[in-house]
Amino acid sequence: MAKESPGTGHPGRGGSGSGIQVRRIYDRADPADGARVLVDRLWPRGVSKEDARLTEWCKDAAPSSGLRRWYGHDPERFDGFAGRYREELAGPQPQAALRRLRELASDGPLTLLTATKDLPHSHVQILLEALRETG
């Protein structure tokens, strides 16, 4: 199996998140994306639903609106954000969303899509870690 690139994952088959990659919703869809799932709570500006070519929109995997506003994409708050987001991911709706994402990943490549510009300091990195943990 191919090695994963740090922070994004490499497309391909396999459980435990090994076939999961992260991309921006503004990137052109690629056939290697497999299942394309938007994991933001808000619809991204300037993207039509047709152009997004989504398999699903998984809002319940995203941080709450309150947490997102508190964080404000401030890298200095990232550690606090990560801890709070992990707590949110323990709730029943986010757990159901994680199960669904793991199911999609077990069927083939999975691409998590976000509008966030700063991927290393985004919720998707924490989500990716959670998906790689046994669920």
Side-chain angles (χ1 to χ4, degrees):
M1 180 175 268
K3 287 187 178 183
E4 296 176 1
S5 3
T8 59
H10 179 79
R13 287 203 175 272
S16 304
S18 63
I20 303 173
Q21 67 175 338
V22 174
R23 296 185 63 203
R24 293 194 68 226
I25 187 84
Y26 302 105
D27 297 337
R28 174 170 274 145
D30 186 297
D33 286 346
R36 293 172 50 86
V37 179
L38 179 62
V39 291
D40 288 348
R41 193 160 297 275
L42 302 174
W43 186 261
R45 291 182 181 164
V47 177
S48 72
K49 294 196 180 193
E50 182 180 311
D51 288 343
R53 296 186 178 165
L54 293 183
T55 304
E56 290 184 26
W57 181 9
C58 194
K59 295 178 190 178
D60 288 337
S64 66
S65 296
L67 180 56
R68 182 179 46 80
R69 282 190 296 271
W70 172 84
Y71 175 45
H73 300 285
D74 178 353
E76 291 184 18
R77 288 186 166 185
F78 184 72
D79 289 340
F81 167 76
R84 291 177 184 190
Y85 179 43
R86 282 193 159 277
E87 288 175 13
E88 287 187 356
L89 286 173
Q93 288 178 314
Q95 282 296 303
L98 287 171
R99 282 191 299 276
R100 176 64 182 145
L101 292 170
R102 286 185 186 111
E103 179 182 295
L104 288 167
S106 72
D107 290 341
L110 171 63
T111 300
L112 303 178
L113 299 166
T114 182
T116 306
K117 290 179 185 176
D118 184 1
L119 290 176
H121 295 105
S122 76
H123 72 285
V124 183
Q125 296 307 318
I126 293 107
L127 182 58
L128 195 56
E129 291 171 12
L131 288 169
R132 288 182 173 147
E133 296 167 359
T134 50

